[in-house]
Amino acid sequence: MNTQQALKSKPADMVPPRLPGRKRRSLPHLILGAVLVVACAAGGVVAAQQLGDRQEVIALARPVDVGHVILQQDLVGVSLAVDGAVKVVPASAASSVVGRPVAYSLPVGVLLTDDVLGPPRLPGDGRAIAALGLKPGQFPPELSAGSNVLVLASSTNEGNSASSWRAVVVAVDRTDQAPVVSMELPELDARALSSTPADKIAVLMVGGR
């Protein structure tokens, strides 16, 4: 059989073998890949916009006591990205808060909002203010409004354990020989503390609340 006859005898439906290393690409997979690329690009644009959407707002440059009237030197401008739900005071409106009192004792760095400005709002719900007449040595000399404290009371009866309460100092009056420390704490704790003899009390400054 010659070559021409061999070619004629080849079946008509025979398909040439597929070359190795070449794969048929599925159209749905290509479309999905394109969609993912577009989605990632869009997400990057949104993230960049959010990170870049910063504004100059007002914060406290130093701690202030409850009732303190805001002065210009109490304020500092900070640039940060702010959630729209937080009603902060923009730097351009700093003059609008000067002369207004603060409703709470606030630490340095707090962003000013309408919620922290206004007449004193102490004590809070379920809390009370207890006033203690203490002697020097019963509390640290650095104690001031806004300090977080642990009040310790030694037992008056043998066999009873000592009591302790966490509180926030509202004011310290040192005008008299016996300084008076006013502190806010839960109402039930305030009642127990007020019934404790002052000479059995020691006040420690602690971190946190």
Side-chain angles (χ1 to χ4, degrees):
M1 180 182 298
N2 56 30
T3 303
Q4 186 175 3
Q5 290 177 335
L7 290 175
K8 289 182 179 179
S9 64
K10 181 179 179 180
D13 58 349
M14 181 176 293
V15 179
R18 184 177 300 172
L19 294 178
R22 297 183 62 184
K23 295 183 180 179
R24 181 178 298 176
R25 295 185 179 180
S26 173
L27 182 59
H29 289 174
L30 292 176
I31 295 176
L32 178 59
V35 170
L36 290 176
V37 170
V38 173
C40 291
V45 171
V46 172
Q49 289 177 344
Q50 290 179 342
L51 292 175
D53 187 17
R54 303 174 71 86
Q55 56 179 306
E56 191 84 7
V57 299
I58 292 299
L60 285 177
R62 56 188 180 184
V64 295
D65 299 338
V66 57
H68 173 79
V69 176
I70 294 292
L71 304 173
Q72 187 66 45
Q73 54 265 37
D74 296 326
L75 307 176
V76 63
V78 294
S79 178
L80 44 78
V82 180
D83 189 335
V86 181
K87 303 302 182 183
V88 293
V89 179
S92 58
S95 59
S96 67
V97 302
V98 174
R100 298 182 62 184
V102 291
Y104 309 96
S105 292
L106 302 171
V108 62
V110 169
L111 298 181
L112 286 186
T113 67
D114 286 336
D115 292 336
V116 301
L117 297 172
R121 301 174 192 171
L122 292 173
D125 293 340
R127 300 177 69 85
I129 295 177
L132 305 176
L134 304 176
K135 297 179 180 179
Q138 289 184 272
F139 62 92
E142 299 85 3
L143 196 68
S144 62
S147 297
N148 298 291
V149 297
L150 181 64
V151 184
L152 303 176
S154 58
S155 175
T156 56
N157 298 321
E158 294 184 3
N160 293 340
S161 59
S163 300
S164 64
W165 305 273
R166 294 185 71 92
V168 179
V169 175
V170 176
V172 180
D173 184 359
R174 293 183 172 87
T175 57
D176 201 353
Q177 291 182 349
V180 176
V181 178
S182 297
M183 54 187 66
E184 183 197 16
L185 64 168
E187 184 176 348
L188 293 179
D189 292 347
R191 293 181 181 182
L193 177 57
S194 297
S195 63
T196 303
D199 60 349
K200 300 294 183 181
I201 290 177
V203 178
L204 306 178
M205 291 180 64
V206 296
R209 178 166 185 170

